[in-house]
Amino acid sequence: MGLGILASRAIRPASRLLQSHNSSFFLRTIVSKPELQSPEAAAVSQPEPPNQILPPRSPVGGARVHFSNPEDAIEVFVDGYAVKVPKGFTVLQACEVAGVDIPRFCYHSRLSIAGNCRMCLVEVEKSPKPVASCAMPALPGMKIKTDTPIAKKAREGVMEFLLMNHPLDCPICDQGGECDLQDQSMAFGSDRGRFTEMKRSVVDKNLGPLVKTVMTRCIQCTRCVRFASEVAGVQDLGMLGRGSGEEIGTYVEKLMTSELSGNVIDICPVGALTSKPFAFKARNWELKGTETIDVSDAVGSNIRVDSRGPEVMRIIPRLNEDINEEWISDKTRFSYDGLKRQRLSDPMIRDSDGRFKAVSWRDALAVVGDIIHQVKSDEIVGIAGQLSDAESMMVLKDFVNRMGSDNVWCEGTAVGVDADLRYSYLMNTSISGLEKADLFLLVGTQPRVEAAMVNARICKTVRASNAKVAYIGPPADFNYDCKHLGTGTDTLKEIAEGRHTFCSALKNAKNPAIIVGAGIFNRSDKDAILSAVESISQANNVVREDWNGLNFLLLYAAQAAALDLGLVQQSAKALESAKFVYLMGADDVDVDKIPKDAFVVYQGHHGDKAVYRANVILPATAFTEKEGTYENTEGYTQQTVPAVPTVGDARDDWKIVRALSEVSGVKLPYNSIEGVRSRIKSVAPNLVHTDEREPAAFGPSLKPECKETMSNTPFQPAVENFYMTNSITRASKIMAQCSAVLLKK
Amino acid sequence: MSAPFTLRKIGVPPNSANLTEARRRVFDFFRAACRSLPTVMDIYNLQDVVAPSQLRFAISAQIRNNAHITDPKVIDLLLFKGMEELTDIVDHAKQRHHIIGQYVVGEGLVQNTGSKDQGKSDFLKNFYTSNYF
């Protein structure tokens, strides 16, 4: 006090000297109060200003909170901010709702809680030590503090421990740039460590040609162990040993053969499990990510294609709760290197000596336009392939129809497939709706190889609610418990007539789901099988107002859109009596059935099987290079986005057919993609509404009675080799390695 | 007003006032080019490759390509560029393969007369060029 008065006395004469109106800018009398000068006064903490208005907060990542029971909501306080959370939420989830992102390594929202990394420690009032927020349930009235010195010290300590035995591999580790450990140590760790001993190292495990392991980098978070046992359904991985000698491994020399094994690469927070084909190829900051759709199966998983220049470097899953959650199958993830091999890049015409000669587009289209006028209209056949998008199929159908022929279909749908009613070829319970089922009957389908994401969803349902699964078909191994009822149609007949023991289980199920595989469509007795399935569904109340459990699992990405647009095979003899065959990416066509004197035009992006029979080759773009509409097996329409530029002189599929129509004299009335889309809108408007699922409008009650009987041939597997199903995967070296090494013999 | 063209001119001639003057300048340019043709054939040894009439045809075809233009200023600019090109050729600033590739119809230059492209639509023309349109 005295000093202050002395100071002000000393300043006052000077202020008289300055005497300017802005003396207040130069001089400021230092004023002191008695409370501020005594030490006891300083120790008293400032009282909280009452009723502080905090700015509103939104949940992390724009997430929405689902209250399954609104009366059961609890109120907790996160950093002074009150949030309402549902009853079973953990402290970490409550903080996420409040907009606070808590660092974690072992916690993953889709896996069970482990609580062993201790990075998520937060301070809770009235608790002696910081609590692991991922494991602690939020209790009403809890006051959670995430930015106090205790919480920060805890995070620094945990980070220091984790980095103690972690090797200095950042320059050679593939995870650099997208590593959780790097990011969290920068954000929450201390700047220096105190470890001066020798670091431990761990021997690497061989998990197959897809997952590269450097187990020294492992921080033992056990995310991969939990993923393999819960989501993938295989108990391959486990934690061996204790303490600092802990190792993640398979204990026996076993490869990870699961079709979801690539997802552990995304899950692992450090560089212990990385992608072997992508090893040392690129850093994540030099890649351009394009959000697009996968076409290797009928599921339409959402992916992000990372490309560097004209080359696709890797494929990463995107979140889509309805279809693939956060996972993709190995085929989707690793078949991208097939896009670089066996590519068709120039139009070619077969010479008189049988060899192909590269020509210009003018000549190629002129030749095709000439020949097409020399055949009769019903000898023209157009076949769309399994990777064709809706636009190109629409233009092909229009062109073939204008030439006077009705023979245009998509491969995989044999004669007589009924495309009138959409329920008869779609997955009517949507893929996310399968979670509510409590009984599954799989008829002639192996979802593990046909649609790995549907299988993952069934596995999730079985695990969560103990649903029962039974299947009719060839014996196969599933990654969940299921009963094998039979291999052929006799079992189906018995269930339809009510004689089988399984019928009681069907009757008692609240939400039964029947999944029929699209391999059935190729059988001659498919009508009988479908009517048997429909009688089962009628007898057991499978199709009701609120629940439609009758599902069809399609095999190819183009099938649903093809059936929506009306590309069905009208006559069985169309191919045998054809003189002009237009194959638009169709490789699964039986080439021997095409007559020897027929003129075959192959339009596609890979030189696969059917190319060798072709007379003219027209190069087209692959799914990573074009913008196309695809409909998945549940009726969800999505669009691919071009990620890399076109290869060579290739053109988009629909543009080639449109140009051919003009050269042939039957010019189609549209010349832009919007025009094609408005044409599609008049045929199948659901294909224009992207990112929307259009359920089937009518149920089985409209179908007429079927008089045929089922044949005795047992159900055959529709997919022989999971890793080689389309032209891209057959051209891929990684898929070849996988099928040589990972398939169960 | 109508200063005759010489190959070595000093300064930039003033803009043509109207279309007739521009037209006269075009013809003057063509005459100057044709008069320099024997020198060109001599410099680049084109005696066995091409006849002067063929070279004249090539020059006139290029002029005829722009026959539809009506703006005198645009014609002046095109003439300026043509003059520049002619000066380069006469100064031996180009080489034989340039002349053959750019002006000798048949051996170097594939003349597209435009007859087969006239009946096609824009879509087809763009389709033949590239995939991005």
Side-chain angles (χ1 to χ4, degrees):
Chain A
M1 177 177 151
L3 277 171
I5 294 175
L6 277 176
S8 46
R9 272 206 203 122
I11 288 166
R12 244 183 276 130
S15 70
R16 251 188 266 130
L17 279 175
L18 281 170
Q19 290 283 340
S20 53
H21 60 275
N22 51 359
S23 59
S24 52
F25 288 139
F26 300 113
L27 302 172
R28 198 162 56 94
T29 49
I30 300 168
V31 177
S32 188
K33 293 202 207 68
E35 308 85 56
L36 290 174
Q37 289 192 327
S38 60
E40 292 83 13
V44 169
S45 58
Q46 295 283 344
E48 291 244 348
N51 296 334
Q52 210 176 32
I53 301 172
L54 296 160
R57 299 202 200 170
S58 54
V60 167
R64 290 162 294 178
V65 192
H66 171 65
F67 286 85
S68 49
N69 229 349
E71 303 88 35
D72 263 345
I74 307 175
E75 190 177 43
V76 293
F77 298 91
V78 175
D79 293 339
Y81 180 75
V83 280
K84 275 212 165 349
V85 294
K87 186 152 176 264
F89 264 30
T90 52
V91 170
L92 192 144
Q93 288 172 315
C95 293
E96 276 184 353
V97 172
V100 177
D101 202 2
I102 294 189
R104 81 290 295 262
F105 287 110
C106 69
Y107 173 78
H108 191 90
S109 49
R110 294 185 200 278
L111 304 174
S112 57
I113 296 175
N116 58 24
C117 73
R118 313 311 289 179
M119 192 67 184
C120 56
L121 297 174
V122 296
E123 190 185 344
V124 167
E125 218 172 275
K126 300 190 205 77
S127 168
K129 5 187 222 185
V131 309
S133 53
C134 64
M136 172 76 110
L139 305 168
M142 213 180 216
K143 286 198 186 28
I144 303 161
K145 291 196 270 272
T146 60
D147 53 0
T148 55
I150 294 184
K152 290 186 183 164
K153 199 98 184 101
R155 286 173 195 158
E156 281 177 23
V158 170
M159 191 49 77
E160 193 180 341
F161 277 120
L162 282 174
L163 290 172
M164 261 187 220
N165 264 326
H166 196 77
L168 304 175
D169 275 357
C170 285
I172 52 171
C173 176
D174 280 308
Q175 199 95 343
E178 44 186 18
C179 176
D180 279 359
L181 202 64
Q182 274 182 346
D183 300 337
Q184 287 179 27
S185 67
M186 287 299 289
F188 306 106
S190 69
D191 56 342
R192 58 203 74 188
R194 297 172 275 191
F195 187 66
T196 49
E197 325 290 317
M198 286 287 291
K199 296 196 184 218
R200 67 102 175 88
S201 58
V202 179
V203 61
D204 295 340
K205 317 286 184 298
N206 180 17
L207 292 181
L210 299 176
V211 181
K212 175 182 170 190
T213 59
V214 183
M215 298 321 284
T216 318
R217 301 175 191 158
C218 175
I219 53 172
Q220 291 92 23
C221 68
T222 61
R223 270 188 189 177
C224 52
V225 173
R226 284 175 279 145
F227 174 84
S229 70
E230 292 166 25
V231 179
V234 288
Q235 264 90 29
D236 275 350
L237 294 170
M239 179 83 92
L240 314 158
R242 289 202 194 119
S244 63
E246 278 181 326
E247 293 182 18
I248 301 264
T250 50
Y251 189 58
V252 289
E253 289 267 340
K254 207 169 141 200
L255 305 174
M256 272 192 88
T257 50
S258 162
E259 72 280 0
L260 296 178
S261 66
N263 293 299
V264 294
I265 298 167
D266 292 329
I267 275 210
C268 181
V270 295
L273 301 171
T274 48
S275 162
K276 206 179 244 188
F278 182 64
F280 306 127
K281 288 269 159 63
R283 284 294 189 194
N284 76 319
W285 57 79
E286 41 181 22
L287 302 174
K288 177 177 98 158
T290 313
E291 301 189 342
T292 173
I293 305 295
D294 163 61
V295 297
S296 63
D297 56 11
V299 170
S301 325
N302 290 181
I303 53 173
R304 194 185 88 207
V305 172
D306 281 345
S307 61
R308 182 176 61 186
E311 197 186 335
V312 172
M313 302 303 294
R314 67 174 176 182
I315 292 184
I316 298 272
R318 252 196 306 147
L319 174 67
N320 185 323
E321 284 291 348
D322 297 323
I323 303 175
N324 65 317
E325 296 181 300
E326 270 177 44
W327 323 121
I328 45 175
S329 70
D330 281 353
K331 190 165 51 172
T332 311
R333 191 184 287 265
F334 292 114
S335 57
Y336 59 85
D337 72 328
L339 292 165
K340 298 178 227 179
R341 292 186 68 240
Q342 300 269 74
R343 289 301 296 268
L344 303 171
S345 62
D346 287 307
M348 295 202 219
I349 302 184
R350 201 189 277 266
D351 251 348
S352 43
D353 59 349
R355 294 178 64 93
F356 280 108
K357 195 179 54 145
V359 295
S360 71
W361 273 105
R362 268 200 190 85
D363 300 335
L365 289 183
V367 163
V368 180
D370 272 339
I371 305 261
I372 205 172
H373 282 293
Q374 294 168 14
V375 297
K376 289 208 283 283
S377 4
D378 53 350
E379 288 170 347
I380 298 177
V381 166
I383 309 181
Q386 22 165 314
L387 305 177
S388 312
D389 53 338
E391 284 93 0
S392 49
M393 289 197 284
M394 181 82 257
V395 181
L396 180 68
K397 182 162 173 32
D398 274 352
F399 172 60
V400 174
N401 286 346
R402 280 205 187 203
M403 295 303 298
S405 163
D406 206 10
N407 304 321
V408 55
W409 66 86
C410 178
E411 62 180 5
T413 50
V415 183
V417 170
D418 193 8
D420 293 332
L421 299 169
R422 283 179 85 230
Y423 84 88
S424 60
Y425 54 83
L426 285 186
M427 180 159 280
N428 295 304
T429 331
S430 52
I431 297 180
S432 54
L434 286 177
E435 285 185 37
K436 300 196 195 71
D438 55 355
L439 180 73
F440 290 93
L441 175 61
L442 310 174
V443 180
T445 178
Q446 291 168 315
R448 195 166 184 192
V449 290
E450 290 174 20
M453 287 298 112
V454 173
N455 196 45
R457 210 53 95 120
I458 299 178
C459 182
K460 183 178 174 189
T461 318
V462 166
R463 211 192 136 75
S465 59
N466 235 348
K468 301 273 176 292
V469 183
Y471 72 101
I472 305 176
D477 44 2
F478 287 76
N479 40 352
Y480 35 81
D481 292 324
C482 49
K483 252 172 69 167
H484 186 192
L485 298 179
T487 50
T489 51
D490 323 320
T491 330
L492 195 59
K493 222 182 305 192
E494 282 175 32
I495 300 182
E497 289 162 10
R499 290 183 280 133
H500 203 275
T501 43
F502 184 66
C503 298
S504 55
L506 257 178
K507 276 212 189 348
N508 294 334
K510 274 200 286 292
N511 291 333
I514 305 178
I515 304 184
V516 184
I520 305 272
F521 291 162
N522 287 328
R523 288 170 64 111
S524 52
D525 55 346
K526 70 165 130 16
D527 287 322
I529 296 179
L530 292 178
S531 69
V533 168
E534 276 166 28
S535 55
I536 298 177
S537 63
Q538 246 172 341
N540 297 297
N541 214 8
V542 173
V543 182
R544 322 188 275 263
E545 282 274 321
D546 55 337
W547 170 259
N548 188 338
L550 182 57
N551 298 307
F552 291 83
L553 185 56
L554 296 172
L555 291 169
Y556 307 133
Q559 257 178 321
L563 292 168
D564 270 359
L565 290 172
L567 274 82
V568 286
Q569 193 172 356
Q570 306 286 12
S571 68
K573 295 278 166 279
L575 196 52
E576 274 108 32
S577 63
K579 291 277 184 303
F580 180 90
V581 181
Y582 197 96
L583 301 173
M584 196 166 74
D587 286 302
D588 289 339
V589 165
D590 196 359
V591 174
D592 302 320
K593 277 220 209 120
I594 306 177
K596 292 281 175 291
D597 57 344
F599 188 85
V600 177
V601 179
Y602 183 83
Q603 172 186 318
H605 41 79
H606 273 84
D608 205 32
K609 295 185 208 158
V611 167
Y612 297 100
R613 170 65 188 84
N615 295 79
V616 174
I617 297 179
L618 302 174
T621 48
F623 77 98
T624 44
E625 300 149 13
K626 70 177 164 190
E627 187 185 330
T629 309
Y630 289 89
E631 189 184 346
N632 79 347
T633 180
E634 58 173 3
Y636 198 103
T637 313
Q638 297 174 114
Q639 244 184 35
T640 54
V641 177
V644 286
T646 11
V647 168
D649 220 2
R651 304 278 186 268
D652 285 343
D653 284 293
W654 73 268
K655 286 181 188 162
I656 299 177
V657 185
R658 163 70 178 76
L660 178 60
S661 75
E662 187 166 341
V663 169
S664 313
V666 288
K667 187 166 125 166
L668 292 167
Y670 33 77
N671 55 6
S672 68
I673 198 153
E674 290 86 25
V676 180
R677 291 211 176 115
S678 61
R679 169 81 181 111
I680 292 179
K681 191 169 176 175
S682 62
V683 173
N686 62 311
L687 287 174
V688 184
H689 305 136
T690 43
D691 296 331
E692 268 175 40
R693 178 177 175 256
E694 177 79 28
F698 300 105
S701 50
L702 284 185
K703 243 197 156 160
E705 283 287 321
C706 165
K707 297 287 179 295
E708 293 166 22
T709 51
M710 299 191 251
S711 81
N712 280 335
T713 41
F715 291 119
Q716 301 293 332
V719 169
E720 296 289 344
N721 182 345
F722 168 68
Y723 295 106
M724 302 255 187
T725 48
N726 57 31
S727 55
I728 302 179
T729 48
R730 280 190 285 259
S732 154
K733 183 173 147 206
I734 308 171
M735 293 288 108
Q737 279 174 329
C738 290
S739 72
V741 172
L742 293 177
L743 279 184
K744 295 183 188 38
K745 293 290 177 288
Chain B
M1 265 257 285
S2 56
F5 269 117
T6 52
L7 276 183
R8 298 255 180 273
K9 52 191 189 313
I10 300 139
V12 180
N15 279 338
S16 331
N18 48 24
L19 198 54
T20 29
E21 193 182 330
R23 198 180 153 81
R24 194 174 8 186
R25 283 204 182 173
V26 171
F27 288 137
D28 285 344
F29 164 72
F30 183 63
R31 255 178 247 127
C34 291
R35 279 178 194 139
S36 60
L37 271 187
T39 329
V40 167
M41 302 228 1
D42 192 38
I43 293 173
Y44 297 100
N45 293 325
L46 297 171
Q47 296 87 356
D48 300 318
V49 178
V50 72
S53 58
Q54 284 176 300
L55 285 176
R56 275 195 290 273
F57 176 75
I59 302 173
S60 61
Q62 293 218 346
I63 297 177
R64 227 170 262 126
N65 242 347
N66 294 320
H68 56 281
I69 297 184
T70 52
D71 189 358
K73 288 213 190 89
V74 176
I75 296 177
D76 281 343
L77 189 67
L78 290 169
L79 275 180
F80 180 79
K81 289 197 159 306
M83 207 57 223
E84 206 177 12
E85 179 82 6
L86 183 61
T87 316
D88 281 344
I89 292 177
V90 168
D91 282 349
H92 208 342
K94 290 209 170 209
Q95 285 169 328
R96 194 165 181 262
H97 68 277
H98 293 122
I99 311 297
I100 294 179
Q102 290 166 358
Y103 299 103
V104 177
V105 177
E107 193 177 304
L109 185 65
V110 173
Q111 189 83 283
N112 52 348
T113 52
S115 62
K116 52 177 169 140
D117 270 352
Q118 266 158 13
K120 296 193 180 89
S121 64
D122 281 336
F123 177 88
L124 211 52
K125 283 205 203 104
N126 288 336
F127 178 85
Y128 287 143
T129 327
S130 97
N131 190 30
Y132 296 110
F133 60 89

